Amino acid sequence: MKLSWRVVLLWTLPLLVIGFFLWQGAFSSAPADMGRNAANTRLTYGRFLDYLDAGRVTAVDLYDSGRTAIVEAVDPELNDRVMRWRVDLPGNSPDLVSRLRDANISLDSHPPRNDGALVGALGNLLFPLLLIGGLFFLFRRSAGGAGGPGQAMNFGKSKARFMMEAKTGIMFDDVAGIDEAKEELQEVVTFLKKPERFTAIGARIPKGVLLVGPPGTGKTLLAKAIAGEAGVPFFSISGSEFVEMFVGVGASRVRDLFKKAKENAPCIIFIDEIDAVGRQRGAGIGGGNDEREQTLNQLLTEMDGFEGNTGIIIIAATNRADVLDSALLRPGRFDRQVMVDPPDIKGRLGILEVHARNKKLSDDISLETIARRTPGFTGADLANLLNEAAILTARRRKEAITMAEVDDAVDRVIAGMEGTPLVDSKSKRLIAYHEIGHAMVGTLVKDHDPVQKVTLIPRGQAQGLTWFTPSEEQMLISRSQIMARITGALGGRAAEDVIFGDAEVTTGAGNDLQQVSNMARQMVTRFGMSDLGPLSLESSQGEVFLGRDWLSRSEYSEEVSSRIDEQVRSIVEHCYNEAKGIMQDNRAVIDRLVDLLIEKETIDGDEFRQIVSEYAVVPEKPQFAPQL
Ligand code: ADP
Ligand code: MG
Ligand code: ZN
């Protein structure tokens, strides 16, 4: 009889499998046994010894020929609850056994047993395989992350992926434009340098400081400056690095980080992007994230676990303090919040001065002028700006940076790379009318920022651009200023419409119209600047974040919704008519300016105003007054 392969396989495979389990069970019955006995939490051998020294250990069960132990100890942080941990012992350790006996700790040893049930054995087999596979991946992933600037040391090979800088070399002098934040943090430096001064009178030194501010405002820089001023090491890790694919990795990174920091106290621990781990727990669409919550819990435990006076100060940075878990902000954790705002004009000047220190500037450079031209720029933007200018200078083979390079760099940072101008054609004429339309309205409408220049040199997505000099930063913007901006933004389309007819208008106004709709809608729904009255109908339209609340609901009826639309439309219509009126009344000067623009490709603000003042017809409506 011929035995078919299938039959052979059918019989031998199960035998092989069962045989393997029996064999496997003979070597390691421990995990199955321990599964009943203990939590799977691991304790490092060193920690175990610490606990032993502290007299917290109550019982030790040895498994696996003395290579593994289940340790029972009281946890004073958890109301003296008895906890169990698994500890891997470094082989056979007779000293340990005698120590345990001396300390009168209940000790037991469990021989290997063969009675693992099939299911248990299956679990045993799969679990180590998965774990080994997981570890393998982890090591491969983190091995790639090594390397860093200067004397920075990267613990990429170990589980922890944080950086340590023994000396940051950054001082408070290198940070400008955020004086209030600096002042508040000055105190932290004193905590690190002279803790006695505070502890002597019984003051508790704060453990955590949270820096809140938009990206690029200098939060990392500030944290480094604190370490630099105090002359202490700087440990840093980014919140996103905590959160890994495998549950438990983040928590162990937190543990490692704090362990290293304690060895190096006094020091600073800097946690960047803390919102990546520290979001409100138990919220969000799609359920919670186990790994993140464990990491956060570990972080909280570590922060509670050391005394305030050990000389470790934790500085965390985020741009979303609103999504943070409230447990993080409790006293004893990040109880100090320091706002790091984008700089105002004086701050920008200060930052420019810092970054101009190591650059060659020609005499014509006025840092004040640059500061004035760059509202909304953060410290990082300004640093980048000066660097771009320096690169341009080198490319042009000049000795020192002049205003021309800085201007070009600003344009580039704001609007993108310069392209090649169009050749003379119908579309170039249309673009010229469109831009002159913006510039005309901007010049003739009351309360509009003055024109800085009009250009047909393309940049980024735009074929032509009209630049306005921003007025001094204002916290408050009036209704008439918003109306002026809407009218100005509609100037381009109005010019196309009036000059070429409504069949010829182009897609070039798409961007303008988007801004117009936004501004008009906000006037109605947020600022109470319409006939609907002073109502706030929508909160500021941020992106939907999945941290705390669900999608924001609209809080008005459909009737109100259609009235909003009506109001928005009437604002835009009103402004569009004004803009068209200006085009119709000034056709002659507009034609002249367009010819000039096509010829020169750029007209600067002064020249533009000069020409307009000779010819322009000023609208009669009281709302408008010339701004020449
Ligand atoms: P954040 O951490 O807030 O995103 P960074 O501290 O990383 O910002 O800033 C990036 C770089 O921008 C800094 O290294 C520094 O060169 C520059 N910079 C930012 N803010 C300032 C500032 N207030 N003063 C001087 N330089 C700054
Ligand atoms: Mg940063
Ligand atoms: Zn436009």
Side-chain angles (χ1 to χ4, degrees), residues 126-145:
L126 283 180
F127 190 59
L129 275 182
L130 277 180
L131 208 66
I132 290 166
L135 284 178
F136 179 68
F137 271 113
L138 275 183
F139 283 131
R140 287 190 27 150
R141 282 165 57 105
S142 52

Side-chain angles (χ1 to χ4, degrees), residues 480-498:
S480 103
Q481 280 171 312
I482 304 185
M483 292 292 273
R485 280 186 202 174
I486 294 176
T487 314
L490 287 166
R493 167 53 66 84
E496 292 178 27
D497 194 349
V498 168

